[in-house]
Amino acid sequence: MPRAFVVGLTGGIGSGKSAAADMFADLGAALVDTDRIAHALTGPGGVAMTAIRAAFGNGVLTEDGALNRAAMRALAFESQDARKRLEGILHPMIRQESERQCLAASAPYVILAVPLLIESGTYRERVQRLCVVDCPEAMQVVRVMQRSGLEESQVRAIMAAQASRAERLAAADDILDNSGTLDALREQVSGLHRHYLALAATAKGL
């Protein structure tokens, strides 16, 4: 287990998980973001790229040797086997690097941001607290369509591959309601930050 007090942060696509994670970081939490780790692993010269090239060929690479995310996304949605092979390459690397970053953190507590935390038992076992960023599903769809330019059917296909809203809420220790403004979200994050500082201090016997 990580030595630091670790709060798992998750939410469905378009829920605002990244915004909440950055707010916690602004308040002094250490942020370990598995999305950012994945981007580093699959960027030009990334540690995962040799194995990805061997598994899928040059068709999923950009000119500078990074992962072509659009091509890989299309392949993964067409083929469950392709998705599982990609996950088999990336997930162990992401788990290892996220664990290293959690152990190296010197902040009072760590926010471990994982999009599919509910779906992955290994991450659930690594956190002392689980915080879910929540908003209505219709709002998720609109946000992702505006942000990514995807069709509604594509967004709903992504959502269908994730845990349901009800499953996330049932697993949560804490819930951030992000159906309103960013200021409203920031106020909730500030309250939970104080709560997590107290929990982390208690866990360390302070």
Side-chain angles (χ1 to χ4, degrees), residues 15-37:
S15 63
K17 172 182 59 66
S18 295
D22 288 338
M23 290 174 186
F24 278 112
D26 288 343
L27 292 171
L31 175 57
V32 178
D33 189 323
T34 59
D35 266 350
R36 294 175 189 176
I37 292 171

Side-chain angles (χ1 to χ4, degrees), residues 14-146:
S15 63
K17 172 182 59 66
S18 295
D22 288 338
M23 290 174 186
F24 278 112
D26 288 343
L27 292 171
L31 175 57
V32 178
D33 189 323
T34 59
D35 266 350
R36 294 175 189 176
I37 292 171
H39 276 261
L41 290 170
T42 56
V47 174
M49 290 313 301
T50 298
I52 289 174
R53 183 186 294 109
F56 301 103
N58 291 328
V60 297
L61 272 62
T62 61
E63 290 184 3
D64 60 359
L67 180 66
N68 184 323
R69 301 184 192 288
M72 191 70 242
R73 188 183 304 116
L75 183 61
F77 269 105
E78 290 172 7
S79 167
Q80 187 174 9
D81 177 64
R83 179 174 59 81
K84 288 183 176 179
R85 279 190 291 155
L86 180 64
E87 291 173 351
I89 294 168
L90 285 178
H91 286 188
M93 293 182 180
I94 294 169
R95 280 194 295 269
Q96 183 178 17
E97 177 59 18
S98 63
E99 176 76 355
R100 186 195 68 77
Q101 291 185 20
C102 285
L103 289 169
S106 57
Y109 69 94
V110 176
I111 291 289
L112 177 59
V114 185
L116 300 180
L117 192 152
I118 304 297
E119 297 85 341
S120 172
T122 57
Y123 281 106
R124 185 65 183 92
E125 293 163 2
R126 289 171 51 192
V127 303
Q128 284 77 57
R129 199 85 182 167
L130 178 56
C131 179
V132 169
V133 186
D134 179 63
C135 70
E137 291 181 356
M139 189 173 287
Q140 290 179 250
V141 172
V142 170
R143 286 174 175 171
V144 178
M145 288 174 65
Q146 292 175 342

